[in-house]
Amino acid sequence: MALLPIYTAPDPLLKTVSKPVEEVNDEIRRLIGDMFDTMYAAPGIGLAAIQVGVQKRLLVVDVVGRGQEGKEPEPLALINPEITWVSDHDATYEEGCLSVPEHYADVVRPAEIEVEYLDENGKKQSLHADGLLATCIQHEIDHLDGILFLDHLSALKRNMILRKLIKQKKLAS
Ligand code: K1U
Ligand code: ZN
C-alpha cells in the first residue's frame, strides 16, 4: 500500500469531470487500498480519486475512522456512484477538504440521499445515507464532477479562501 500525493486548490485538475470506471479489476482495488491509506493518514473522512490525480469516478469514505476508541471503522468504496434520490429537507455541516487545507465553511445539502454504486467486486449496491455520511458522499461526488465545497459559497468567501491558498502555495515553494 502507498500514500498518494493530494492535489490542492487551485490546481486545474480538481475542476475536471472524472470518467466512469470501465472494469473493476485488481488495478482499481489497489487504487482503493492506497486511497484508504492516504485518507486515514491525512487524516480525513473521505477522498475522491481526482484528489490523488486519478480522473476516475471512484471515492472512499469512513465517517467513523480508524483509531476511534470503542468504534469499528466503517470503510466504504463507491465506484461510479449515482445519487438516485435526495430528501426535501436539508442539513448544514461545517465542511473541510483535504484539497483546501485549513479552511472550513458551512455548506447546505440534502439531509438524506439514496446512492447506487459498484462495490470493490463490481457488484451493484444501493445505500441510504443520512447525517455526516450523506454530506460526505455528496461532497466526494461533487469532486468527481469538478466541484469543490468552495463552489457552494458566495463568490466573496470563495475568492478570499482561494487567494489565501495561492499565497500559502507561494510561501511553500
Ligand atoms: O477532501 C475531502 O474530500 C475529505 C474531507 C471530507 C469531508 C469533510 C467534512 C464534510 C464533508 C466532507 C475531509 O475529510 S476534511 C477532514 C475532516 O473533516 C476530518 C478529519 C479528521 C477527523 C474528522 C474529520
Ligand atoms: Zn474534498
Side-chain angles (χ1 to χ4, degrees), residues 51 96-99 139-140 143 148-149:
Q51 292 179 274
C97 181
L98 300 174
S99 296
H139 174 117
E140 302 309 332
H143 274 303
L148 295 174
F149 83 88

Side-chain angles (χ1 to χ4, degrees), residues 1-172:
M1 295 293 174
L3 294 187
L4 306 170
I6 297 177
Y7 287 62
T8 57
D11 193 300
L13 189 70
L14 294 169
K15 301 304 295 172
T16 63
V17 177
S18 297
K19 298 176 180 67
V21 172
E22 305 261 325
E23 187 196 353
V24 182
N25 53 24
D26 285 347
E27 186 198 335
I28 292 293
R29 281 184 279 272
R30 193 171 326 115
L31 173 61
I32 289 171
D34 290 346
M35 285 173 60
F36 273 121
D37 284 351
T38 305
M39 180 190 79
Y40 287 126
I45 57 171
L47 191 68
I50 195 68
Q51 292 179 274
V52 293
V54 179
Q55 232 174 2
K56 291 187 193 297
R57 299 191 76 82
L58 159 61
L59 63 92
V60 297
V61 290
D62 186 346
V63 297
V64 176
R66 248 185 213 165
Q68 270 208 55
E69 218 172 293
K71 290 194 178 167
E72 281 299 308
E74 288 179 12
L76 263 177
L78 280 66
I79 300 164
N80 298 340
E82 300 272 1
I83 294 178
T84 54
W85 174 84
V86 298
S87 62
D88 287 337
H89 60 295
D90 292 334
T92 305
Y93 272 94
E94 189 180 55
E95 297 193 12
C97 181
L98 300 174
S99 296
V100 185
E102 292 164 35
H103 294 277
Y104 302 87
D106 280 351
V107 177
V108 184
R109 299 181 189 271
E112 296 179 46
I113 58 166
E114 291 272 351
V115 60
E116 290 187 355
Y117 62 97
L118 300 179
D119 68 15
E120 289 172 70
N121 299 311
K123 193 166 170 239
K124 198 170 170 183
Q125 303 283 358
S126 87
L127 171 74
H128 182 104
D130 61 10
L132 183 55
L133 180 60
T135 291
C136 191
I137 290 173
Q138 291 175 82
H139 174 117
E140 302 309 332
I141 291 178
D142 267 1
H143 274 303
L144 306 184
D145 292 320
I147 297 166
L148 295 174
F149 83 88
L150 299 178
D151 298 313
H152 292 271
L153 310 181
S154 68
L156 186 73
K157 274 192 199 165
R158 179 169 59 250
N159 289 333
M160 201 176 70
I161 294 174
L162 282 172
R163 274 198 297 273
K164 284 186 184 163
L165 288 170
I166 292 167
K167 238 188 211 170
Q168 281 169 9
K169 275 195 182 182
K170 269 193 191 145
L171 284 174

